[in-house]
Amino acid sequence: QVHVEESGGGLVQAGGSLRLSCVASGTILSVGAISWYRHVTGKERELIASISFGGATNYADSVKGRFTISRDSAKNTAYLQMNSLKVEDTAVYYCNAEVVATSYQTEYDYWGQGTQVIVSS
């Protein structure tokens, strides 16, 4: 069994910063790519950042230069450092991890429950 959980969301003022964490736990053989998505009501979930097992990163244009994704593979953890936050960054942020669990011995997507980020003006 694998559990993915995000944390670090909250309420911040525009221009402020937050650091989100994503931890994969359980009976895990390995964790591959980890991605951050965000979702607002009425819109499709948006991929905003991803990081490969080797550390290669990709960012959506909307967050490039402001957000930084990183990982600590030894802890099966990824982070999203969000700086210069804007009101339009308000969303529920979800973590997706490609995990090989011992139960399946094949890579599968695991999602967290989401963490709310609210940026006020």
Side-chain angles (χ1 to χ4, degrees):
Q1 57 184 30
V2 175
H3 180 70
V4 174
E5 184 171 8
E6 308 93 336
S7 62
L11 173 64
V12 297
Q13 293 186 346
S17 298
L18 281 175
R19 189 194 191 203
L20 306 183
S21 297
C22 171
V23 180
S25 61
T27 308
I28 296 171
L29 291 176
S30 63
V31 179
I34 302 175
S35 301
W36 285 97
Y37 293 75
R38 65 187 181 188
H39 175 74
V40 297
T41 301
K43 296 184 178 180
E44 187 175 343
R45 183 178 294 176
E46 176 190 15
L47 173 63
I48 58 172
S50 63
I51 184 168
S52 71
F53 175 80
T57 59
N58 292 102
Y59 298 93
D61 288 341
S62 59
V63 305
K64 192 174 299 180
R66 299 188 298 119
F67 292 8
T68 302
I69 187 171
S70 61
R71 69 186 294 161
D72 185 341
S73 294
K75 299 179 179 179
N76 292 329
T77 300
Y79 306 95
L80 186 67
Q81 179 66 45
M82 306 187 296
N83 298 326
S84 302
L85 283 163
K86 304 174 181 179
V87 172
E88 51 264 44
D89 293 320
T90 296
V92 178
Y93 284 72
Y94 295 90
C95 178
N96 174 269
E98 298 281 352
V99 179
V100 178
T102 56
S103 297
Y104 299 105
Q105 296 187 338
T106 188
E107 196 168 74
Y108 190 81
D109 286 333
Y110 291 88
W111 290 89
Q113 82 293 336
T115 184
Q116 177 73 247
V117 172
I118 300 175
V119 184
S120 65
S121 61

